Amino acid sequence: MKDQYSDIKKLLERYYDNELSEKEKIEVEGHLTTCTECKEELKSIEGLSVLIREYGTMEPEEETFEKVWHGVREGIVKTVGARLALPYTLLLTAVFVVLLMLAWLFYPYKTEELPEAKTGLVVVEAVESSPKGVMVFNANGGSVAVIWLFEIEDGEEEAI
Amino acid sequence: MLSDEEDLIKRIQEGDTEAFREIVERYHKRVYSITYGFFQDREKALDAVQEVFIKTFRSIGGFRFGSSFYTWLYRITINVCIDLQRRSKSAPFTLFSEIQDEEGAIVPERFKNKDSPDPQDDLLKRELRAVTNKAILSLSHEHRAVIILREIEGLSYKEIARAMNCSEGTVMSRLHYARERLREMLKKYLKESEAL
């Protein structure tokens, strides 16, 4: 009897929610004719349901639809606007990127010429020491060597 | 042959906003009853309804008629409610002590029942609304959603499972837990509500 009570008690919620098979339903209904505890349990489930439906809900006011639609329409306009603007935004971005690449390719760069390019001298060795520094250059493809002695005073170089 | 609703949805998918207005008109009360059940607050419920339909419009292009439209709409509704609740830091419920203070008249407008001629009944109804309010809000998002879809919307376990993207077993266990908790919190009032 005790086992049947606990088995049926487990089915009561599903019975109330109409989620039992026909066989289970008949079993529960048969049990309910004799068991006061299960009847009370079912009544309590039903009572809660009534309480939630009566006091946990609220009918929308008359003007709710207009209020809702007003807000929804604004949201839709933004969505549609963003959708319409998207291809143009993408197109503008693509044009900008292409222009940037073209500018990079064809910009007439003027770089400062290196000393080697100006004079044909190639630095072979450079030693900074006190009191004089030494710098050795090659010129004319290595056929001429230039040795430059210089003094360093207060950070300035002075050739001798 | 397309049903009336399918035809409306096809038209919305082609960009017809008038067809969407008809969908909003058709479903806003049902969506409102869920959002109100979830927030227990008119303003928040209304904001949520707007959000639900804006999201619906944005994603209706992806609706493939594989499931019923309202189950799909309920899923959006529950997701919006959970999302808004997470974003909002404070839970919007009124303390029971607030409505008991008659001299101070700190009774929110939404609890005033204008139809009730008997002041005693009126007071009890206000009290019942406030405690039910508080009890529902004490549940977690998932338990609240299940109890609202079942008790207020009357959805089957299968429909709830689809709307919440979970199994029927999960629906049953969440529903059982939510009911147990609510019955415990409201046991004092379950009998009083029968008397009204």
Side-chain angles (χ1 to χ4, degrees), chain B residues 59-135:
Chain B
S59 46
I60 204 162
F63 181 71
R64 293 281 171 260
F65 303 94
S67 61
S68 67
F69 177 72
Y70 76 85
T71 312
W72 185 73
L73 183 64
Y74 284 172
R75 185 185 292 190
I76 294 178
T77 307
I78 294 299
N79 287 341
V80 165
C81 286
I82 292 174
D83 196 36
L84 288 177
Q85 179 74 68
R86 279 186 185 141
R87 275 193 259 158
S88 133
K89 286 183 181 167
S90 58
F93 61 78
T94 307
L95 293 173
F96 181 42
S97 57
E98 281 185 349
I99 62 151
Q100 279 185 316
D101 188 357
E102 274 201 291
E103 291 302 311
I106 317 167
V107 181
E109 190 61 32
R110 62 182 187 275
F111 296 140
K112 289 179 185 167
N113 189 334
K114 292 164 186 134
D115 299 333
S116 176
D118 183 350
Q120 284 291 339
D121 268 10
D122 189 37
L123 187 67
L124 183 56
K125 279 180 179 172
R126 272 190 261 155
E127 188 178 324
L128 283 169
R129 182 169 289 282
V131 289
T132 310
N133 219 312
K134 191 177 172 181

